[in-house]
Amino acid sequence: MPPPAVQSRTGAPQNIKRPHAGLAKPKGQAPEQFLVPTIIAFYIFAFTNILAALYVPIQDCDEVFNYWEPTHYLNRGYGLQTWEYSPEYSIRSWLYIVIHAILGKFGSFFSSTKTFEFYFLRVLLAGSCALCESRFFAVISRNLNPRIGIMFMVIMTTSPGMFHASAAYLPSSFSMYTVMLGTTAFMDWRGGPKTAPGMMWFGIGAIIGWPFAGALIAPFIAEEILFASITGQAFESARRFLDGTVRCLLVLALQIAIDTFFYHKVLVVPWRIVSYNILGGSGRGPQIFGTEPWDFYIRNLFLNFNVWFLLALSAGPLLGLQYIFRAHTATKLTLMRSFVFVTPFYMWLFIFSAQAHKEERFMYPAYPFIGLNASMALHNVLSYLGSSDPKKLVGKIPAQVKFFLVSLSLILAIEAGVLRTIGIVSAYRAPLQIYSTLQQPGVAKPNDVVCLGKEWYRFPSSYFLPNGLRAKFIRSEFDGLLPGEFNEAQIGFGFFAGTWLIPPGMNDENIPDPGKYIDVRHCSFLVDSHFPGSSPSNLEPNYILDTQTWEELQCSSFLDVSQTSTLGRILWLPNYSIIPERHRRKWGRYCLLRRK
């Protein structure tokens, strides 16, 4: 444990002074000790993240069509293209894709199959996330309290939300990584303020990843300005701000250069993203893709973090109560820094709850702050429950009873998270499984077509199709704009012509384009699902039941959400006789069909 002079009951540093240079340890002070060594924490983070990389289903079709498919185009020469990558609109940066395409290309050195390349890149993302988590864990343990660090690790490794986000190929996940690194820099005052590195990491996340994630730096910048005004270090603070700004501008210059190469015109993609989403105008902007009620994120975060989310919400009020009733346990500086640390989560939740268009991935950059807030709140609760003062009610409760209640609560929270994670993997993993048969010799021929109808949004990417097979769309009840294909022109068009040649039939108003469809008679293979609780339509017939035209090549079970109870949808439940029939999970079939 760190020496008492460094730690407080709140978990924040006690005798901190704004450092001018390095901080030397007093003579005789014991070296800092972590209850869990950082390398062990990394192994634990990496283990759970790699499990996610190997098993978690893709939850957002944007991940496939906006990131996996452009990567497939760069590495394999063809792929599906969304309107965002049309040079007319160009609201996606190629720098983010290039970085991952280079990393993914290394996977082809170990295996010629594209599926291996897919999982290779996913594992690299999982490892990158684990590195960022372990760095964040280390600074939490060192600067707050080792117990808070352990709680943070438990929350991050057992929550379904992190299981989804850790290996997702999404800018919001990338921003989550850099947010952890940026926050680590701002929290770590050893050797002096690290404002410039902190700004750099937040800037990398906002520029290369997702521009809106840059808002999370606001509390740390406010803290820097406040301390500069209190300590009279305005010049030093300005120098650090300038250093951080220059670093961010260098990253932006690299992005502009890469995007200029691919789009054949100079543009600033982060600004274009912000402009479209905020200044899009009538008939444009994110709201045309769907809206959700104000409490969407509250419900979603409770499902993905259960009691940890409630604790995260309580972190601020608990600090306020401590300031009012237990001010003697910490200095004002300690409490102020603690408020800075818990503020980003509240700010992020408020900003995005106020937006009409909501998606689960928009919360990813704030996931580390959920873990931080919840672990700080739990630490405060445990500190209060640990009181043995007989004058207080909590002090009269036997220690064994308190230990039992706390242990039971933590075990139930962890178990709920694990059961939900298992439930999601077992219920929705079929789209990652049914394409393996196509890899067998003689099953597919060059120029065969795999058709996607009502299941288009669950397509896991062209990485799951052998070379020569193309994914095409047939009509379904969906009435929005589907992806087209990158232009594959080569001779006379230079490198990657599909990135700068304007594709036909694109628009930014989600208006469907008939040119994106082919007739089902041209399909060699077809992906379809059948659920006993659903009814067919003219545009979405039960192809699986049309045994005269199609044969089942490979099928997997897929949860029938219309027939499964709420409890069965939320958690994994075994199909045991002790489980009431109304709560048992009901299943449909998800199949790859071949034309007879």
Side-chain angles (χ1 to χ4, degrees):
M1 291 286 290
V6 177
Q7 296 297 319
S8 75
R9 294 177 64 85
T10 67
Q14 275 273 34
N15 297 333
I16 283 185
K17 295 181 181 178
R18 188 65 164 179
H20 297 271
L23 288 178
K25 292 183 179 180
K27 290 183 178 181
Q29 180 174 312
E32 293 176 332
Q33 299 284 330
F34 295 158
L35 292 181
V36 176
T38 303
I39 188 62
I40 299 299
F42 169 74
Y43 292 146
I44 295 172
F45 286 127
F47 175 75
T48 56
N49 292 351
I50 290 173
L51 282 180
L54 297 177
Y55 292 104
V56 74
I58 296 175
Q59 292 196 302
D60 195 322
C61 64
D62 265 8
E63 180 177 351
V64 171
F65 297 119
N66 274 326
Y67 306 104
W68 284 110
E69 286 297 314
T71 305
H72 188 275
Y73 170 71
L74 292 188
N75 284 347
R76 299 287 176 165
Y78 64 94
L80 298 172
Q81 180 184 24
T82 63
W83 68 269
E84 291 99 322
Y85 284 93
S86 170
E88 288 183 280
Y89 309 106
S90 51
I91 63 169
R92 292 287 181 262
S93 174
W94 280 101
L95 177 57
Y96 179 68
I97 303 299
V98 166
I99 293 171
H100 292 79
I102 293 172
L103 294 174
K105 194 65 177 178
F106 283 108
S108 63
F109 298 153
F110 302 100
S111 174
S112 60
T113 64
K114 294 192 295 182
T115 307
F116 178 86
E117 190 175 327
F118 173 90
Y119 284 109
F120 178 82
L121 181 53
R122 258 192 160 192
V123 169
L124 289 182
L125 292 173
S128 300
C129 184
L131 283 171
C132 299
E133 288 173 303
S134 59
R135 287 278 295 124
F136 201 20
F137 161 84
V139 79
I140 290 171
S141 299
R142 183 171 56 243
N143 289 276
L144 299 183
N145 189 289
R147 185 165 69 180
I148 296 179
I150 291 176
M151 296 169 188
F152 173 80
M153 180 172 60
V154 170
I155 293 168
M156 298 292 275
T157 54
T158 61
S159 298
M162 276 304 299
F163 200 74
H164 309 154
S166 61
Y169 184 7
L170 287 167
S172 50
S173 282
F174 179 81
S175 296
M176 180 183 72
Y177 305 164
T178 59
V179 160
M180 284 189 276
L181 295 177
T183 305
T184 296
F186 278 111
M187 290 179 69
D188 187 4
W189 281 2
R190 296 183 309 166
K194 297 177 176 61
T195 307
M199 290 178 62
M200 179 191 70
W201 284 118
F202 274 99
I204 289 174
I207 295 168
I208 300 178
W210 197 31
F212 301 101
L216 287 166
I217 198 176
F220 302 103
I221 296 297
E223 179 193 36
E224 174 77 15
I225 295 173
L226 178 61
F227 269 98
S229 63
I230 293 175
T231 61
Q233 297 183 37
F235 178 79
E236 287 295 319
S237 182
R239 183 187 59 79
R240 292 191 291 268
F241 279 136
L242 179 61
D243 185 3
T245 301
V246 170
R247 298 186 193 198
C248 293
L249 290 176
L250 290 174
V251 175
L252 181 61
L254 174 63
Q255 183 188 61
I256 292 174
I258 295 294
D259 288 332
T260 299
F261 171 80
F262 282 102
Y263 283 121
H264 282 207
K265 59 181 179 180
V266 180
L267 42 79
V268 181
V269 170
W271 164 248
R272 297 179 69 87
I273 294 174
V274 173
S275 176
Y276 175 79
N277 283 276
I278 297 179
L279 308 173
S282 177
R284 292 178 174 83
Q287 65 277 358
I288 67 174
F289 300 102
T291 60
E292 298 290 344
W294 69 271
D295 63 342
F296 172 83
Y297 288 126
I298 293 176
R299 291 180 283 113
N300 180 267
L301 291 174
F302 182 72
L303 286 174
N304 283 327
F305 287 90
N306 57 72
V307 71
W308 311 127
F309 170 62
L310 301 180
L311 281 169
L313 288 175
S314 70
L318 286 175
L319 285 173
L321 290 174
Q322 181 182 14
Y323 178 75
I324 296 172
F325 298 106
R326 304 177 68 207
H328 64 281
T329 63
T331 66
K332 290 183 178 180
L333 174 59
T334 293
L335 288 170
M336 193 203 73
R337 288 221 83 197
S338 297
F339 276 113
V340 169
F341 298 156
V342 303
T343 297
F345 167 62
Y346 296 113
M347 183 182 69
W348 193 259
L349 181 62
F350 174 78
I351 291 173
F352 280 88
S353 292
Q355 309 306 311
H357 179 65
K358 300 177 178 67
E359 296 186 39
E360 180 177 321
R361 61 191 167 101
F362 293 171
M363 282 291 112
Y364 287 1
Y367 278 4
F369 291 111
I370 295 177
L372 176 61
N373 281 31
S375 57
M376 290 177 67
L378 182 58
H379 177 78
N380 272 332
V381 170
L382 293 179
S383 296
Y384 176 72
L385 292 177
S387 173
S388 57
D389 186 351
K391 297 179 181 179
K392 298 179 180 179
L393 176 62
V394 70
K396 298 178 181 178
I397 302 175
Q400 296 85 345
V401 174
K402 290 189 284 188
F403 177 79
F404 172 77
L405 292 176
V406 169
S407 299
L408 179 63
S409 300
L410 295 180
I411 290 172
L412 289 176
I414 293 171
E415 185 175 331
V418 172
L419 287 178
R420 177 159 174 78
T421 297
I422 296 173
I424 290 172
V425 171
S426 60
Y428 305 115
R429 193 165 179 261
L432 298 179
Q433 298 174 314
I434 63 168
Y435 295 93
S436 59
T437 303
L438 294 174
Q439 309 292 338
Q440 298 176 4
V443 174
K445 302 184 294 294
N447 300 319
D448 275 350
V449 174
V450 178
C451 288
L452 309 167
K454 66 176 183 283
E455 293 298 326
W456 69 270
Y457 61 97
R458 293 192 178 110
F459 177 56
S461 83
S462 298
Y463 279 98
F464 286 78
L465 305 181
N467 285 322
L469 265 69
R470 305 298 179 97
K472 304 284 186 179
F473 300 105
I474 59 174
R475 289 193 176 274
S476 66
E477 298 292 346
F478 177 72
D479 61 351
L481 180 65
L482 288 169
E485 298 181 25
F486 283 103
N487 194 307
E488 298 170 30
Q490 294 181 352
I491 299 177
F493 289 92
F495 296 103
F496 307 114
T499 64
W500 61 270
L501 291 175
I502 297 178
M506 295 295 190
N507 64 80
D508 61 351
E509 300 178 68
N510 202 28
I511 300 172
D513 171 36
K516 301 293 190 295
Y517 302 100
I518 68 168
D519 192 287
V520 69
R521 291 173 296 180
H522 299 148
C523 301
S524 312
F525 303 91
L526 190 147
V527 176
D528 195 33
S529 60
H530 172 62
F531 301 101
S534 63
S535 302
S537 66
N538 290 333
L539 291 177
E540 295 180 355
N542 281 326
Y543 293 106
I544 292 177
L545 302 183
D546 182 9
T547 56
Q548 292 184 342
T549 306
W550 303 96
E551 63 175 332
E552 296 180 8
L553 201 57
Q554 187 171 352
C555 292
S556 291
S557 298
F558 199 95
L559 188 70
D560 186 349
V561 296
S562 67
Q563 299 297 305
T564 301
S565 68
T566 301
L567 184 62
R569 295 196 303 270
I570 292 175
L571 302 175
W572 176 79
L573 297 175
N575 193 28
Y576 294 161
S577 58
I578 59 172
I579 303 296
E581 178 64 29
R582 68 180 183 277
H583 291 308
R584 294 186 192 178
R585 309 176 98 194
K586 306 301 188 297
W587 299 93
R589 301 170 69 219
Y590 197 93
C591 296
L592 174 66
L593 309 175
R594 177 168 60 183
R595 184 177 294 277
K596 287 186 174 180

